[in-house]
Amino acid sequence: MSANEGPSGQQQTGRTAASATADSAFLRACRREPVSHTPVWFMRQAGRSLPEYHKVREGIAMLDSCMRPDLVTEITLQPVRRHHVDAAVYFSDIVVPLKAIGIDLDIKPGVGPVIADPIRTRADLDRLRPLDPDDVKYVTEAVGMLTGELGATPLIGFAGAPFTLASYLIEGGPSRNHERTKALMYGDPELWAELLDRLADIAAVFLKVQIEAGASAVQLFDSWVGALSPADYRARVMPASTKVFDAVAGYGVPRIHYGVGTGELLGLLGEAGADVVGVDWRVPLDEAARRVGPGKALQGNLDPAVLFAPRQAVEAKTDEVLEAARGLEGHVFNLGHGVLPSTDPDALTRLVEYVHTRTAR
């Protein structure tokens, strides 16, 4: 499905949403244009830290909630209403497209995605069929509902990057050391390349569905890629991530790339095709800008644990982030990782207000 393909209704929805959000602070920052204030959103802002989220999700499994457009819409909107963030992020999970093509998996509370039959041989690849937009009609419906509610507030769509999806599929679930993943990557490079190529196609279609339905930007999450050396990333992973970014380049929406522990990979994350590079809290933004090089906006990067400190300390650490971001071509304020489950929601609301006030131009 090319940038010009897809049902005309979906394309029209996407164009309408893009027009409404084009001048937002978030999209202007992503495009490295002047802004009236530094825009703010938080990874995992929709979910675990909010009491209203737990209320609407009560008795509903995670994957089931991702397939109900009414629930997705409500959960995605909750942090926009409460925190007044500058962008909404679509409520879903990176393994949703894998579930949609028939992979036997579940998201277990306190554990994460668990794969019943891991993919470790060439024969296992047959289970990774292409994703068809009809497999995720609920995503198209939910995004359409959301853009109608959000108005001028942009919606960020997202997908899991090939390496991180491959790690879950090979390990059978979350892993500290990614030993099976690396064993396959080094031991059978042809199988590894084919696996990542298939996952790149799946991620690309998943992003296209969201963009055509109205998402104003997309983020590729490569949560575990920080486990790799720069040489391994460049040779064995970057081609697949680049394929994803290239597949959606024609839509003209900002493309964000984020990973954890990726200080040594920041330049490569941008080189893979991102317009905006997400930075975790380990590298100051001014140093991150040096590593990434010109022509990219940056996103980040307050340590999410800082929000458990007293208000004065939160503001002091926020000032450090904003000072490091001074002079960047474009800056989207975010945490260096997702909102922690026990975070006080009021601390997030205060943080948004503080950044907006502190950076008002």
Side-chain angles (χ1 to χ4, degrees):
M1 184 170 57
S2 74
N4 297 317
E5 293 174 344
S8 59
Q10 289 180 7
Q11 289 191 54
Q12 186 59 43
T13 300
R15 292 193 192 102
T16 303
S19 175
T21 62
D23 202 40
S24 64
F26 169 72
L27 290 181
R28 289 182 65 87
C30 290
R31 297 193 302 260
R32 295 175 287 120
E33 297 172 356
V35 292
S36 58
H37 63 272
T38 298
V40 186
W41 74 280
F42 304 116
M43 290 176 285
R44 288 185 176 161
Q45 67 185 17
R48 304 174 300 178
S49 66
L50 301 181
E52 56 265 42
Y53 165 80
H54 291 287
K55 183 176 180 180
V56 298
R57 273 261 345 257
E58 191 172 359
I60 304 172
M62 175 63 182
L63 282 172
D64 290 339
S65 67
C66 294
M67 298 175 191
R68 286 182 44 179
D70 60 332
L71 201 52
V72 169
T73 300
E74 169 58 24
I75 292 172
T76 302
L77 291 172
Q78 286 176 349
V80 179
R81 297 190 199 112
R82 178 188 274 262
H83 303 315
H84 305 294
V85 285
D86 293 278
V89 59
Y90 184 77
F91 175 76
S92 187
D93 190 273
I94 64 171
V95 298
V96 164
L98 299 180
K99 182 72 172 181
I101 63 170
I103 299 297
D104 187 358
L105 62 86
D106 193 15
I107 299 176
K108 296 191 175 181
V111 178
V114 176
I115 313 295
D117 298 303
I119 290 180
R120 294 171 184 167
T121 68
R122 185 162 296 279
D124 292 332
L125 281 180
D126 293 338
R127 288 186 274 140
L128 280 182
R129 68 166 176 83
L131 178 69
D132 188 283
D134 285 344
D135 295 323
V136 287
K137 287 182 177 178
Y138 47 85
V139 173
T140 298
E141 184 179 348
V143 173
M145 294 169 65
L146 277 164
T147 54
E149 293 279 347
L150 286 166
T153 301
L155 175 67
I156 304 168
F158 74 90
F163 176 82
T164 292
L165 292 178
S167 176
Y168 281 121
L169 286 170
I170 296 166
E171 303 288 345
S175 171
R176 284 183 178 272
N177 301 311
H178 309 281
E179 54 266 40
R180 292 183 180 274
T181 304
K182 291 184 178 182
L184 179 60
M185 182 176 72
Y186 297 130
D188 195 339
E190 290 185 4
L191 175 58
W192 172 257
E194 188 171 347
L195 171 60
L196 259 65
D197 190 65
R198 292 196 186 196
L199 291 171
D201 289 338
I202 290 168
V205 171
F206 196 55
L207 291 181
K208 287 179 179 182
V209 166
Q210 294 171 76
I211 295 168
E212 291 187 357
S216 298
V218 290
Q219 176 159 306
L220 193 65
F221 279 91
D222 215 347
S223 305
W224 308 133
V225 78
L228 298 180
S229 70
D232 282 339
Y233 177 82
R234 179 183 287 280
R236 304 171 192 270
V237 173
M238 194 166 79
S241 293
T242 296
K243 185 177 186 180
V244 179
F245 284 124
D246 286 350
V248 299
Y251 290 95
V253 304
R255 299 160 296 169
I256 309 169
H257 203 2
Y258 170 77
V260 185
T262 52
E264 298 300 319
L265 305 179
L266 287 172
L268 294 172
L269 294 183
E271 191 178 330
D275 305 298
V276 183
V277 176
V279 185
D280 74 12
W281 67 93
R282 296 171 177 87
V283 180
L285 289 176
D286 49 357
E287 170 60 18
R290 188 190 67 78
R291 297 182 188 187
V292 170
K296 309 287 182 182
L298 296 186
Q299 178 176 280
N301 69 337
L302 185 71
D303 185 342
V306 167
L307 288 163
F308 293 80
R311 181 172 182 169
Q312 185 176 3
V314 174
E315 292 179 355
K317 295 300 288 184
T318 300
D319 285 341
E320 290 180 15
V321 172
L322 295 174
E323 180 59 32
R326 188 187 299 274
L328 295 184
E329 294 184 61
H331 177 222
V332 176
F333 189 94
N334 206 315
L335 302 180
H337 197 249
V339 174
L340 297 171
S342 54
T343 303
D344 178 2
D346 290 342
L348 290 168
T349 304
R350 290 193 299 267
L351 178 56
V352 174
E353 183 181 10
Y354 184 77
V355 173
H356 284 173
T357 302
R358 187 79 169 74
T359 61
R361 294 165 174 84

